[in-house]
Amino acid sequence: MKISACRVIVCSPGRNFVTLMIETDEGVHGIGDATLNGRELSVAAYLKEHVAPALIGRDPARIEDIWQYLYRGAYWRRGPVTMSAIAAVDTALWDIKGKVAGLPLYQLLGGASRDGVMVYGHANGNDIAQTLDEVARYAGLGYKAIRAQSGIPGLASTYGVSKDRMYYEPADAAIATENIWSTAKYLDHVPKLFEAIRSRFGFEHHILHDVHHRLTPIEAGRLGKSLEPYRLFWMEDPTPAENQEGFRIIRQHTVTPIAVGEVFNTIYDCQTLISEQLIDFIRTTVVHAGGITHLRRIAQLAELYHVRTGSHGATDLSPVCMGAALHFDLWVHNFGIQEYMRHTPETDAVFPHAYSFKDGYLHPGEAPGHGVDIDETLAAKHPYKSSALPVNRLEDGSMWNW
Ligand code: CS2
Ligand code: MG
């Protein structure tokens, strides 16, 4: 079998997605997600110009060799664009391998380690009362784990509060929307949110929160300590993680579990965080961390240090990534949880898939490969729309982390 064509499909059924289609001379095809929110065309160009031509004629079964060729052969290694492109190729090749074997991807990895993949939903509201109602709604949908984000008094907007409660898409303008941030207002407010949640719902559900890179390490230590009575499942991205050593400061002050890694793209981004047990969950996922092949390496390093997986699963990761991630989640021993920000019906129509939700768990299904495909005719009806993620400024106007 040989790779006969590699096509990049850019579409926007409600939001932009980049999908790599790899076709073979025996009629089997595989697809991979290459979506990088706000930078979609960078990855599309990388695939078209620097990857696709080099794949034609290669044996699609040689997944590891192709991964190494694209990683070592790039010379300019790592980074979100390169690793998302490699991820798309890797995912498509695992999809082909599963179809050729007639097996769902999780079987190729080593079989199921669990019966289902526990996921968390996204309760959010403009204030505590609205957020509590959303927590109740997600609990009613059967979720065992719920992330809670609420508006901050005195701030016009903040991360994670969507316009329509259900579907959250932060990339909302061609030129970045400028938000204002106040750490002081945030730190005063968040403990009240979780005190209200635990008072109303008790401790039956896992409750999570995404700080979204906005604190310094010592502020994150203060936040974690203030949230300890509410026993969060995790505090996510408490501080920008380029400075991996900064997490030693957080660990000195709090036992609130820490999750990091959705913006990471290789094992090197988290090597210290994992080997020094500075985090409890690693958030890397298929589309941005080099595909199944590299994500497996990260998870197996994490297993040595009691770190569990908690893969990113926002709306801007396509159903192709979600499908592949669920096979990974079903197999991996040190699984923690899977994020599940539901896609809109418009998106789901373009990406028919085998995965399904029941009682707070997702299952990837038994279709050969990763079980997700793309309806190219429908995709063509949704052209790309330039969009950028917001930026954050502090109240004095200086740039901050969004
Ligand atoms: C967030 C994401 O889901 C999460 O945990 O951090 O919503 C993130 O903001 C987006 O994926 C960025 O495109
Ligand atoms: Mg996050």
Side-chain angles (χ1 to χ4, degrees), residues 104-256:
L105 176 51
Y106 75 85
Q107 293 290 14
L108 299 182
L109 297 173
S113 300
R114 55 194 56 77
D115 300 326
V117 174
M118 183 172 73
V119 294
Y120 69 90
H122 283 221
N124 66 86
N126 293 313
D127 55 31
I128 289 178
Q130 208 175 65
T131 307
L132 290 182
D133 290 344
E134 286 300 295
V135 171
R137 189 157 69 88
Y138 274 89
L141 289 170
Y143 284 82
K144 310 288 185 276
I146 301 163
R147 189 185 85 170
Q149 309 287 139
S150 90
I152 312 290
L155 296 183
S157 64
T158 191
Y159 164 72
V161 179
S162 62
K163 297 182 180 69
D164 70 357
R165 297 287 70 74
M166 191 71 179
Y167 303 107
Y168 179 60
E169 177 43 66
D172 56 4
I175 303 298
T177 306
E178 301 222 348
N179 297 341
I180 300 298
W181 173 253
S182 161
T183 294
K185 291 184 171 79
Y186 170 79
L187 289 176
D188 283 344
H189 177 72
V190 170
K192 296 171 190 164
L193 170 64
F194 292 100
E195 195 281 327
I197 290 172
R198 289 309 192 190
S199 299
R200 177 164 163 187
F201 301 98
F203 289 82
E204 183 192 341
H205 298 88
H206 296 302
I207 299 294
L208 305 87
H209 182 63
D210 192 346
V211 187
H212 217 264
H213 323 278
R214 299 183 180 195
L215 304 180
T216 62
I218 197 66
E219 290 167 344
R222 172 184 154 194
L223 175 66
K225 191 184 289 186
S226 72
L227 297 178
E228 285 177 4
Y230 314 118
R231 300 210 302 271
L232 264 61
F233 185 86
W234 80 32
M235 164 173 75
E236 176 183 340
D237 282 330
T239 189
E242 293 94 323
N243 170 21
Q244 298 185 46
E245 293 74 13
F247 285 72
R248 293 176 188 146
I249 295 171
I250 307 174
R251 278 308 211 208
Q252 287 161 12
H253 293 278
T254 183
V255 294
T256 294

